[in-house]
Amino acid sequence: MHDFPSWASALRDLFTGLAAAIAGWVGLRGLGAWRAEAVGRRKTELAEEVLAQFYRARDALTWARFPHPDVFADAPSPGAADDDAEARRRQAASAPVERLSREMALFSELQANRYRFMAVFGEPAARPFDEIMAARDDVVRCAGDLMRSYADDTPSPTPEAAQARDQMEREVGWGARDADPIAQRVDAAIREIERTCRPLIDEVHRKDRFARKRG
């Protein structure tokens, strides 16, 4: 006949083991949930930081391309060779470069976050970074080309040269916004980065509001 205390001891050990296993399973689930929440928080923080940087970059590009007053310089008066309209327009063309040079830190931070963003959201999600940086580079390039075109001593530029200058002026931001390819590219990049970042940000804010209501 089996010894009852031995059975009781075995059952007790079994239940103790089951309880430990259940506690461990619950703990692992809790740890997994905590890790998932922590990862989600980090993703959201990165999304907020990057989206804010994109908005700042858009404003920086808008201001850099805002026409300098000398863009609209009138024809020079007789004898005013040192202050002619072309010289003033050359100075105006340098304004975008000078303004963007003051925002080097912003664009450096944006470029640094590009790699973090790729690691978290995937390489295709980083395309808006490339577009913003390309837009900045195009503004600097066009401003440089425009300054060189104004430095040209040719008294009467050819129709082709005049057309090329008009195109550079539009790209540097001296034309109508509805015919502004760089502004359109920047706006498209903002919309694309918002599609990645905004749902995460809105979801966290929704959960925070719900938690505050429950509390």
Side-chain angles (χ1 to χ4, degrees):
M1 186 173 181
H2 296 292
D3 185 33
F4 177 75
S6 298
W7 276 99
S9 177
L11 286 173
R12 186 170 58 251
D13 292 343
L14 176 62
F15 286 130
T16 300
L18 285 173
I22 292 171
W25 177 74
V26 171
L28 286 174
R29 280 180 59 88
L31 180 61
W34 176 83
R35 284 178 175 170
E37 183 178 355
V39 169
R41 284 283 179 182
R42 286 198 297 270
K43 288 178 67 174
T44 302
E45 289 169 0
L46 177 60
E48 288 180 335
E49 181 180 350
V50 164
L51 189 55
Q53 287 176 336
F54 266 79
Y55 291 151
R56 288 172 57 200
R58 178 181 60 187
D59 289 349
L61 285 166
T62 299
W63 168 239
R65 303 175 70 234
F66 190 81
H68 189 280
D70 286 342
V71 168
F72 308 107
D74 296 327
S77 57
D82 293 335
D83 190 30
D84 61 32
E86 291 298 288
R88 283 180 283 163
R89 287 172 75 85
R90 282 199 300 275
Q91 181 180 0
S94 70
V97 179
E98 294 171 359
R99 291 168 180 172
L100 284 174
S101 68
R102 301 188 195 116
E103 301 292 345
M104 286 181 61
L106 167 61
F107 286 97
S108 295
E109 292 168 6
L110 195 63
Q111 184 67 7
N113 273 336
R114 175 179 180 271
Y115 297 102
R116 292 176 59 203
F117 205 81
M118 287 171 59
V120 173
F121 295 99
E123 189 169 352
R127 281 194 297 264
F129 289 81
D130 299 333
E131 195 59 49
I132 284 286
M133 300 304 288
R136 183 204 60 173
D137 293 345
D138 284 348
V139 171
V140 173
R141 175 184 55 78
C142 287
D145 291 345
L146 203 53
M147 284 187 283
R148 285 188 289 273
S149 79
Y150 288 141
D152 188 355
D153 293 332
T154 304
S156 299
T158 64
E160 292 78 9
Q163 184 177 6
R165 178 181 290 182
D166 289 343
Q167 177 65 25
M168 286 185 283
E169 290 180 349
R170 282 195 298 273
E171 292 190 5
V172 88
W174 297 354
R177 185 171 176 82
D178 58 358
D180 186 345
I182 289 182
Q184 292 168 5
R185 286 163 52 195
V186 170
D187 289 343
I190 294 290
R191 288 193 298 270
E192 187 173 354
I193 202 71
E194 283 179 332
R195 282 195 292 270
T196 301
C197 298
R198 181 59 63 188
L200 278 171
I201 297 169
D202 290 345
E203 177 64 15
V204 167
H205 290 173
R206 185 191 66 79
K207 288 181 178 179
D208 287 344
R209 288 194 299 270
F210 181 73
R212 285 196 296 269
K213 287 180 180 178
R214 292 188 62 184

